[in-house]
Amino acid sequence: MSDNRATMDTAPYAITTDPLNLDALITAVTSGSPDATIGPGGITSFVGVVRNENAGRRVLRLEYEGYDPLALRAFERIGAETADRWDVRIALHHRLGTLQIGEASVMIAAASPHRADAFAACRYIIERVKQIVPIWKHEFFEGGDVWIEGATADPEDDVARQDAIRVAGLE
Amino acid sequence: MSDNRATMDTAPYAITTDPLNLDALITAVTSGSPDATIGPGGITSFVGVVRNENAGRRVLRLEYEGYDPLALRAFERIGAETADRWDVRIALHHRLGTLQIGEASVMIAAASPHRADAFAACRYIIERVKQIVPIWKHEFFEGGDVWIEGATADPEDDVARQDAIRVAGLE
Amino acid sequence: MNGNRVTIRLFARLKDIVGTGELSREASSDATAGTVWRTLMNEFAELRDYETSISVAVNEEYARMDAPVADGDEVAFLPPVSGG
Amino acid sequence: MNGNRVTIRLFARLKDIVGTGELSREASSDATAGTVWRTLMNEFAELRDYETSISVAVNEEYARMDAPVADGDEVAFLPPVSGG
């Protein structure tokens, strides 16, 4: 988390092999917008980090692969879905390449005048990332390696989307 | 948010007149613990910032006052309540003194092997802070000033606690 | 008798009403937090706004209004909180 | 006739099965994304694992298996995703 090489990409959406930087996302959702009549009151964030364990396996590292242009479009789609439902500004960055245990693979920030919106949006976004963004993790564990396969990447699957809305909850 | 004077207090609980630093909280919830068999997979955070508007008033600044020793005990109590319910490590820092629009008054971080726990704990903590921590905001707005009075600070009020659990939701 | 003395801590609007955040008062030997509060309300009528919403801490621990107070105790009165 | 050629992009385990992440194949003039996929499954039997779970994108947009493909198109086959 405290990697000195951390970049400062304040774009709302990013896919990069560089270490992620939470300050950059917070800047992305709070800076500018002088026309906002009501500024942010709460900022939520989510950082996904490579865990040392998965399904009983001792994980050594992960290698993330993505279909970058389509993944960025999926980010934009998720952003539009989020804006339709909650009063938030969001940022979403995902890292690709080789990640060690404890390194951040994904960061999300959501700023809103209302903390309920910021929490719900942040949770919704990570669920949707796992559902529809064309990124894959290749897990290297003690004794082997495996491609992790999760959700079928169908952005039009409304059952999945409703499930993400339900998990985001509360609203 | 990017104040250069930001301190790096990696204690889990802190009350300070210095600017808050989210990296310090994230370090607090992720560093050490070599005995953890399952490391964190998700870290959520909440940053409360001084908003330019409240109840239709144009806010100029806030002055936060606290009863520090009791506030720190309230933090510890909230930490114990959280640990009883979710598998998380948490940090909770609150700033006192004069805060300008956009400055952070409170920061919370929660790390867990499971993102659902991290989200629920973070939300629970901010609700409990607003319910039971002896800190008060003095609002200076265009045309006057007012002490904001919210919740009766009774940590034994189980109705309030159940309400925070409900809002944290989902689990 | 030598009267017991307690230190009273006040916060937020209570401090504005009384004009100070810390004062000292005598308390009888059977005094409770509630006795101290009612004495203060008699002295500063505006405090009656808080009759139903006030919380109290004795020596930096939350307490009930019927908690006894002893010589040298710190009794803090807390209006509804608004942190975060 | 000059056959249409499409570029096929493969990811994750699909790439391991086929041995490359990018290949080029001829496609008939009435080919769809599904035609291309079935041709590939005939060539690499292990791809049949993905018969019900595969997603497809044509020219960097999600598409349906019945979407037509034209000369020069990029057809990407996506196994179930696992980002985050």
Side-chain angles (χ1 to χ4, degrees):
Chain A
M1 305 302 304
S2 55
D3 194 306
N4 288 326
R5 294 176 301 130
T7 52
M8 189 67 188
D9 185 345
T10 59
Y13 307 115
I15 294 176
T16 174
T17 54
D18 292 330
L20 303 178
N21 177 351
L22 189 54
D23 290 338
L25 282 89
I26 300 222
T27 300
V29 299
T30 54
S31 64
S33 68
D35 56 342
T37 49
I38 302 186
I43 306 155
T44 55
S45 74
F46 177 77
V47 177
V49 300
V50 177
R51 216 173 58 176
N52 59 1
E53 189 269 356
N54 183 37
R57 300 186 292 264
R58 176 62 49 171
V59 177
L60 304 174
R61 68 176 189 280
L62 294 182
E63 292 181 11
Y64 281 85
E65 178 178 313
Y67 185 24
D68 294 27
L70 197 59
L72 276 172
R73 287 191 191 181
F75 283 12
E76 286 162 8
R77 183 191 179 102
I78 293 169
E81 288 174 357
T82 304
D84 275 353
R85 187 164 290 269
W86 295 288
D87 179 12
V88 287
R89 287 178 68 190
I90 71 155
L92 167 54
H93 292 189
H94 205 300
R95 190 172 167 194
L96 301 181
T98 300
L99 274 75
Q100 306 302 325
I101 305 301
E103 287 196 294
S105 56
V106 60
M107 291 188 178
I108 299 163
S112 174
H114 313 289
R115 68 183 179 282
D117 280 19
F119 273 103
C122 203
R123 184 73 202 271
Y124 178 80
I125 291 165
I126 185 60
E127 300 303 317
R128 289 298 272 163
V129 165
K130 288 169 180 283
Q131 287 177 349
I132 70 166
V133 174
I135 291 177
W136 299 269
K137 36 170 98 78
H138 193 175
E139 179 187 306
F140 292 81
F141 58 90
E142 276 184 5
D145 69 279
V146 62
W147 281 101
I148 307 297
E149 296 181 346
T152 299
D154 178 2
E156 303 293 342
D157 178 352
D158 200 54
V159 172
R161 198 171 66 86
Q162 292 302 328
D163 196 54
I165 292 168
R166 186 188 55 72
V167 169
L170 315 172
E171 300 299 294
Chain B
M1 306 302 305
S2 54
D3 194 307
N4 289 326
R5 294 175 300 129
T7 53
M8 188 68 186
D9 185 345
T10 59
Y13 307 115
I15 293 176
T16 175
T17 53
D18 291 331
L20 303 179
N21 177 349
L22 189 55
D23 290 338
L25 282 88
I26 299 221
T27 299
V29 299
T30 55
S31 63
S33 66
D35 57 341
T37 50
I38 302 185
I43 306 155
T44 55
S45 74
F46 177 78
V47 176
V49 300
V50 178
R51 217 171 59 176
N52 59 1
E53 189 269 357
N54 183 37
R57 299 186 293 264
R58 177 61 51 170
V59 177
L60 304 174
R61 69 177 188 278
L62 294 181
E63 291 181 10
Y64 281 86
E65 177 178 314
Y67 185 25
D68 294 27
L70 197 61
L72 276 172
R73 288 192 192 183
F75 283 11
E76 286 162 9
R77 181 190 180 103
I78 293 169
E81 288 174 357
T82 305
D84 276 352
R85 186 164 290 268
W86 296 287
D87 179 13
V88 286
R89 288 178 67 191
I90 71 155
L92 168 54
H93 292 190
H94 205 299
R95 189 172 168 194
L96 301 181
T98 300
L99 274 76
Q100 306 300 326
I101 304 303
E103 287 196 294
S105 54
V106 61
M107 291 188 178
I108 299 164
S112 173
H114 312 290
R115 68 182 179 282
D117 280 18
F119 273 103
C122 202
R123 184 73 202 271
Y124 179 79
I125 291 165
I126 185 60
E127 299 306 316
R128 290 299 272 163
V129 165
K130 289 170 180 282
Q131 285 176 351
I132 70 166
V133 174
I135 291 178
W136 300 268
K137 34 170 99 80
H138 193 174
E139 179 187 306
F140 293 81
F141 58 90
E142 276 185 6
D145 69 279
V146 62
W147 281 100
I148 306 297
E149 296 181 347
T152 299
D154 178 1
E156 305 293 342
D157 178 353
D158 200 55
V159 173
R161 200 172 64 85
Q162 293 301 329
D163 196 54
I165 291 168
R166 186 188 56 70
V167 169
L170 316 172
E171 300 300 294
Chain C
M1 69 166 213
N2 289 326
N4 296 327
R5 290 199 79 83
V6 295
T7 300
I8 298 170
R9 297 286 305 272
L10 300 169
F11 297 91
R13 197 174 145 238
L14 302 192
K15 192 161 91 173
D16 287 356
I17 290 171
V18 172
T20 178
E22 185 168 336
L23 61 163
S24 177
R25 284 291 181 276
E26 279 197 28
S28 63
S29 59
D30 60 350
T32 63
T35 318
V36 177
W37 172 246
R38 283 186 294 276
T39 305
L40 212 58
M41 274 202 299
N42 286 335
E43 203 172 337
F44 301 94
E46 274 188 274
L47 292 182
R48 296 219 168 87
D49 291 355
Y50 295 92
E51 197 157 2
T52 60
S53 63
I54 199 73
S55 298
V56 64
V58 177
N59 296 333
E60 304 180 353
E61 293 273 18
Y62 279 107
R64 292 162 48 118
M65 277 295 187
D66 59 6
V69 295
D71 191 45
D73 279 356
E74 178 177 287
V75 184
F77 295 108
L78 315 171
V81 300
S82 57
Chain D
M1 70 166 209
N2 289 326
N4 296 326
R5 291 200 77 84
V6 295
T7 299
I8 299 171
R9 296 286 305 272
L10 301 169
F11 297 91
R13 195 174 148 238
L14 304 192
K15 193 161 90 173
D16 288 355
I17 290 170
V18 172
T20 179
E22 185 167 335
L23 62 164
S24 177
R25 285 291 180 276
E26 279 197 29
S28 63
S29 60
D30 61 349
T32 62
T35 318
V36 177
W37 172 246
R38 284 186 293 276
T39 305
L40 212 57
M41 274 202 300
N42 286 335
E43 202 174 336
F44 302 94
E46 275 189 273
L47 292 181
R48 296 218 169 87
D49 291 355
Y50 295 92
E51 196 157 3
T52 60
S53 64
I54 200 72
S55 297
V56 64
V58 176
N59 297 332
E60 304 180 352
E61 293 275 17
Y62 280 107
R64 291 162 49 117
M65 277 295 187
D66 59 6
V69 296
D71 191 46
D73 280 356
E74 178 177 285
V75 184
F77 294 109
L78 315 172
V81 299
S82 58

